Amino acid sequence: MDTSDQGQTTASEPMKRLIVNADDFGLAESVNRGILVAHRDGILTSASLLATGPAFAQAIASATPFPELSVGVHLNISEGTPVSPAARIASLVDDRGDLHLTPFRLMQALLRRQVRTAEIHSEFRAQVIKVLDAGVVPTHLDGHLHVHVLPQISPIVIAVAREFCIHSVRCPAEDLKTTLPLLWKVAGARSAVLKRSAVAYAVSSFARPFREQLRRSGLACSDAFYGLAQTGFLNTEMLSALLAHIPNGVTELMCHPGYFSAEVDAVGGELTQEREHEVLALTAPEVHRIVTRLGIRLINFRDLRENLADSFPARGGPS
């Protein structure tokens, strides 16, 4: 997707700039394929790469023909095989050596001091280094299942970002007064919607103070964030409704496109066949028309990085 001439405005006019970022790049080949289709044929501009993903190498190889796709690191301590040897991060893995700290388990373990934060720092560093060693310079960081906004974890993420000169970090503080009514209007009143609403409220509550921490640290984040309340419900109708509410400034829209497969089904969670609905939405002609009509300029995280290049002191990590 060419982001250079989308929604051009004059310098004196307010500008709506939109980063459309796909999570879970590297989770499965079918997910990788959906992400790249949504970028090539749709409005997707960025992706967050799982260094722990089974299809990590295939994600990198398949993204090579798409240099305009910015790629960040989707920091993960919640599921799958860690990058670090399990013995070095014993408090983060189960008896099989797998990551298993879902957000609720992680909060419990942190409160009980059953997790060593130094091991989280070590694993996050290992994940970034794996991405760098594969030839990808990350444009941003975020957290799988948003664990990066937890108060005990956010300083670690900031430290890793600054160590490796990664200039942008996701802040999933959503305007729920806008997005929750849209969710209930389009998806209807049902238990899954109620559960998603509770998750969106909890994540946004943790994320609001995180925004100020990022700014004090000289790190960039979007001015607004969408897609949290809509996770699992982001079809064409929902995406069209969200785009109509994009504010001036920079907004990140999180999405999870992909195609259904046995690998995706094995992971489970909220997103199985729903990923295909997102591919259709992100590539829908009516969505393209809305973006153009509303003067929305599609950008990626490199644009934020370029704006902050002068704010970082000289460091040993890659620039």
Side-chain angles (χ1 to χ4, degrees), residues 122-158:
S122 178
E123 175 61 16
F124 282 174
R125 288 187 77 256
Q127 291 178 17
V128 173
I129 290 169
K130 180 177 178 179
V131 172
L132 287 166
D133 286 347
V136 176
V137 178
T139 58
H140 62 282
L141 296 179
D142 53 45
H144 186 50
L145 303 179
H146 308 290
V147 298
H148 70 297
V149 301
L150 293 175
Q152 301 93 329
I153 310 300
S154 54
I156 299 172
V157 174
I158 289 171

Side-chain angles (χ1 to χ4, degrees), residues 118-295:
E119 293 180 357
I120 296 176
H121 195 163
S122 178
E123 175 61 16
F124 282 174
R125 288 187 77 256
Q127 291 178 17
V128 173
I129 290 169
K130 180 177 178 179
V131 172
L132 287 166
D133 286 347
V136 176
V137 178
T139 58
H140 62 282
L141 296 179
D142 53 45
H144 186 50
L145 303 179
H146 308 290
V147 298
H148 70 297
V149 301
L150 293 175
Q152 301 93 329
I153 310 300
S154 54
I156 299 172
V157 174
I158 289 171
V160 170
R162 292 197 62 83
E163 177 184 0
F164 294 100
C165 291
I166 300 171
H167 295 64
S168 301
V169 179
R170 170 182 289 170
C171 181
E174 190 161 281
D175 176 13
L176 298 178
K177 291 181 180 179
T178 297
T179 60
L180 285 182
L182 290 176
L183 172 65
W184 286 76
K185 179 180 179 181
V186 176
R190 45 196 171 109
S191 59
V193 171
L194 180 61
K195 178 182 177 182
R196 192 65 221 168
S197 300
V199 170
Y201 182 83
V203 172
S204 291
S205 297
F206 282 114
R208 290 187 191 101
F210 184 50
R211 181 185 300 280
E212 185 56 33
Q213 294 174 40
L214 292 174
R215 288 175 173 167
R216 286 199 305 266
S217 301
L219 297 171
C221 63
S222 60
D223 301 306
F225 181 85
Y226 281 5
L228 179 59
Q230 275 64 33
T231 297
F233 302 95
L234 195 64
N235 56 20
T236 303
E237 182 182 4
M238 187 74 77
L239 178 56
S240 300
L242 278 179
L243 290 173
H245 289 83
I246 296 296
N248 291 330
V250 177
T251 299
E252 179 187 353
L253 172 63
M254 176 184 69
C255 57
H256 299 82
Y259 292 104
F260 183 74
S261 66
E263 293 80 9
V264 170
D265 192 37
V267 173
E270 298 174 296
L271 296 161
T272 51
Q273 294 176 334
E274 291 81 3
R275 293 180 187 270
E276 297 191 15
H277 301 160
E278 296 200 13
V279 176
L280 293 173
L282 292 163
T283 59
E286 56 264 49
V287 167
H288 282 274
R289 288 193 291 268
I290 291 170
V291 168
T292 301
R293 177 171 56 83
L294 295 179

